[in-house]
Amino acid sequence: MKEGPDIAQIGSLIGDPARANILTALMGGRALTATELAAAAGVTLQTASAHLAKLEAGSLLAQRKQGRHRYFTLADDRVGKLLEGIMGFAASRGHLRHRPGPKEPALRKARICYDHLAGDYGVRMLDSLVEAGAISVMGEGLNLTARGEKHLGSIGIDVSGLRSSRRPLCRSCLDWSERRAHLAGSLGKALLSNFFDKGWARRTENSRSIFFTPEGERRFLALFPLEIGDGKPKPELDEKH
Amino acid sequence: MKEGPDIAQIGSLIGDPARANILTALMGGRALTATELAAAAGVTLQTASAHLAKLEAGSLLAQRKQGRHRYFTLADDRVGKLLEGIMGFAASRGHLRHRPGPKEPALRKARICYDHLAGDYGVRMLDSLVEAGAISVMGEGLNLTARGEKHLGSIGIDVSGLRSSRRPLCRSCLDWSERRAHLAGSLGKALLSNFFDKGWARRTENSRSIFFTPEGERRFLALFPLEIGDGKPKPELDEKH
DNA sequence: TTCATACTTCGATCGTAACCGAAGCATCTC
DNA sequence: GAGATGCTTCGGTTACGATCGAAGTATGAA
């Protein structure tokens, strides 16, 4: 026995509620201080400090000192991907948090998933891009078509610049609320940044939910139309796999 | 706070060493009894029984009574995929088990990854199929070409039958030992079964490693040749993503 | 220098869960 | 039926780790 990688170690890192809260908070994509994370986790600063040290030792987190602050982020996007995967799995088993809370609807509508758009709007965006022939679905993989590259260029996305990154351009990410795929990867990130830059949407303070302005919402829906009202189109990478 | 799915619950399920051992043992794909799993985990039967109950309550495991035995398996292939993902992540962080042990080389050469071939041989097989134009790589997705379907048909794989399954035909799975992709999905499963059926290889008793007969090894290597000795070809879905 | 803020380290407490021995239940064999 | 095997339940012990108060360190501001 004792074969293979030590999954127990990283399991136990994620398995503590306080640490899980910290990681979930950092899935929001911004760097947060120890104090902020302590509040997010619902523990005192000392306790959070101990948790943060463990998470860093386990290389799930990276920290950056800035003056007397210590900003923590997820170590890299692989951590984000791992957490996405676990969240998707947990949601598929119905392991949701017990109290849905008032923020739940906003989260389901639009939220940040590490660095890209998720929730109802994220799913809609991918569906629309697929319908428009901008992205082709191939098994589990997504690919930007020439047509899509041109289309996104007209919105202001520099695709060739993104290609030079080591991250893949398109990735599908399973949405825990919608249980369907949305667009991740550097393109997913670029699109969300684009919305922020244009002032269509902004982050909310203490939540992963994303707030769209009325104008931004109108524009977003116009830019990513759907053929049928909400007829659950193609890429269902979730149920079957 | 308290947003989203409860990742702490499944983290803590995986986070206990005994349970992690049980899950790892079940990644071997066969159904195992409580007694066997207790031995694999290195705990007594009573303790294992408690762990198994928890894992089943968390819907990671399924059990099937057969006479006075209770056979446990992973609940479905989503669990396998989840564990694969965590293993790949853990390996990428260097969180390997401390004592490499004597079985390690065999594991690295060829092992079963839930239901398909992994390790050096698994990576070679995919590389070879890609080189031969049987499988095309597209971002993170893999796709079987018409040529590949024909080729595999000649080996005795009924591709059209596999297509009817709800599982995707091709999936790439990150190898924790090689840190490169190998072939998963229903096709990966079918290929491994094919090797077993032909008597090229067989499972080993208490390990996930796969033993190739000399004849089987020869045939396997001939069937999946590589251009350059081991020049680390295309699909590196691991580092960048 | 002095004070405040941000965070870490130390030390002690406490709760939970992993663990095993023993007993109990179920199923098969003879 | 009697006995063996496979597994679960119960009860008690133990150990680990999460927690926080208090004290210590580092950085910035006044």
Side-chain angles (χ1 to χ4, degrees):
Chain A
M1 321 316 114
K2 302 269 182 293
E3 294 180 349
D6 192 358
I7 60 171
Q9 195 195 348
I10 87 133
S12 71
L13 279 175
I14 299 174
D16 177 81
R19 284 195 291 267
N21 284 336
I22 287 173
L23 291 169
T24 303
L26 289 173
M27 280 288 280
R30 7 162 86 117
L32 297 173
T33 65
T35 307
E36 288 168 326
L37 289 170
V43 293
T44 62
L45 187 53
Q46 311 93 286
T47 304
S49 180
H51 286 310
L52 290 168
K54 285 186 185 179
L55 287 170
E56 200 185 356
S59 63
L60 293 183
L61 256 50
Q63 69 164 293
R64 170 164 46 93
K65 284 187 69 165
Q66 210 165 92
R68 54 183 158 181
H69 294 278
R70 233 137 226 231
Y71 283 96
F72 292 86
T73 55
L74 301 185
D76 55 41
D77 55 333
R78 300 186 74 148
V79 180
K81 191 181 176 185
L82 173 75
L83 295 175
E84 283 167 20
I86 299 177
M87 281 186 179
F89 181 85
S92 78
R93 303 285 138 140
H95 292 171
L96 292 171
R97 242 52 164 287
H98 307 77
R99 311 156 245 174
K103 288 178 194 156
E104 187 89 6
L107 270 185
R108 288 183 180 272
K109 179 178 172 190
R111 68 175 179 279
I112 195 166
C113 178
Y114 187 50
D115 60 4
H116 54 270
L117 180 64
D120 186 28
Y121 274 32
V123 169
R124 180 194 175 106
M125 183 170 76
L126 176 57
D127 286 349
S128 176
L129 286 169
V130 170
E131 246 179 32
I135 287 181
S136 63
V137 182
M138 199 170 171
E140 291 201 315
L142 300 179
N143 241 54
L144 187 65
T145 62
R147 187 171 167 186
E149 180 156 355
K150 195 174 152 198
H151 179 223
L152 291 175
S154 73
I155 307 177
I157 308 269
D158 171 26
V159 174
S160 60
L162 296 177
R163 278 196 207 281
S164 61
S165 141
R166 280 179 62 237
R167 283 182 76 180
L169 194 61
C170 299
R171 243 188 63 220
S172 74
C173 175
L174 182 56
D175 206 293
W176 60 258
S177 58
E178 295 296 310
R179 301 209 190 177
R180 303 190 39 246
H182 60 251
L183 179 65
S186 61
L187 185 58
K189 176 179 180 174
L191 276 162
L192 181 59
S193 303
N194 189 261
F195 304 152
F196 288 149
D197 292 347
K198 284 179 181 159
W200 291 6
R202 58 171 178 273
R203 293 155 179 243
T204 48
E205 197 52 42
N206 284 316
S207 168
R208 289 171 57 207
S209 64
I210 290 177
F211 172 79
F212 273 79
T213 64
E215 170 71 4
E217 184 152 353
R218 207 182 54 73
R219 297 236 188 180
F220 176 89
L221 296 176
L223 187 57
F224 302 108
L226 274 190
E227 273 289 295
I228 309 152
D230 240 5
K232 300 286 174 187
K234 293 117 207 174
E236 304 204 14
L237 308 186
D238 41 337
E239 287 312 332
K240 55 163 190 181
H241 81 250
Chain B
M1 322 314 112
K2 303 268 182 292
E3 293 179 351
D6 193 357
I7 61 172
Q9 195 197 345
I10 88 129
S12 70
L13 280 175
I14 299 174
D16 177 80
R19 284 194 292 265
N21 284 336
I22 288 174
L23 292 169
T24 303
L26 288 174
M27 279 289 280
R30 9 162 85 115
L32 297 173
T33 65
T35 308
E36 289 168 325
L37 289 169
V43 292
T44 62
L45 187 55
Q46 311 92 287
T47 305
S49 179
H51 285 310
L52 290 168
K54 284 186 188 179
L55 287 169
E56 200 186 356
S59 64
L60 292 183
L61 257 46
Q63 68 164 295
R64 172 162 46 94
K65 283 188 72 167
Q66 211 165 93
R68 53 185 159 182
H69 294 279
R70 264 186 154 104
Y71 284 96
F72 291 86
T73 56
L74 300 185
D76 55 40
D77 56 331
R78 300 184 74 148
V79 179
K81 190 180 178 188
L82 174 75
L83 295 174
E84 284 167 20
I86 299 178
M87 282 187 177
F89 181 86
S92 78
R93 302 285 139 140
H95 293 171
L96 292 172
R97 242 54 163 287
H98 309 77
R99 313 156 244 174
K103 288 179 195 154
E104 187 89 6
L107 269 186
R108 286 182 181 275
K109 180 179 171 190
R111 68 174 178 282
I112 194 165
C113 179
Y114 186 50
D115 59 5
H116 55 271
L117 180 64
D120 187 25
Y121 274 31
V123 170
R124 179 194 175 106
M125 184 170 77
L126 177 57
D127 286 350
S128 175
L129 287 169
V130 170
E131 247 179 29
I135 288 181
S136 63
V137 182
M138 199 170 173
E140 291 200 317
L142 301 178
N143 241 55
L144 187 65
T145 62
R147 189 173 166 183
E149 180 156 356
K150 196 174 150 199
H151 179 224
L152 292 175
S154 71
I155 307 177
I157 309 269
D158 171 25
V159 175
S160 61
L162 296 177
R163 281 197 206 280
S164 63
S165 138
R166 280 181 60 236
R167 282 182 77 182
L169 195 61
C170 298
R171 245 190 60 218
S172 74
C173 175
L174 183 55
D175 205 290
W176 59 259
S177 57
E178 295 296 310
R179 302 208 189 178
R180 302 187 43 245
H182 60 251
L183 179 64
S186 61
L187 185 58
K189 176 179 182 174
L191 276 162
L192 181 59
S193 303
N194 189 261
F195 304 152
F196 288 148
D197 292 345
K198 284 180 182 158
W200 291 6
R202 58 172 178 271
R203 293 156 179 244
T204 49
E205 199 50 41
N206 283 316
S207 167
R208 288 171 57 204
S209 65
I210 290 177
F211 172 78
F212 273 78
T213 65
E215 171 70 6
E217 184 151 355
R218 207 181 54 71
R219 298 234 189 181
F220 176 88
L221 295 176
L223 187 58
F224 302 108
L226 275 190
E227 273 288 296
I228 309 155
D230 241 4
K232 302 284 175 189
K234 293 118 204 172
E236 306 203 15
L237 308 186
D238 40 337
E239 289 310 334
K240 57 165 189 179
H241 81 252

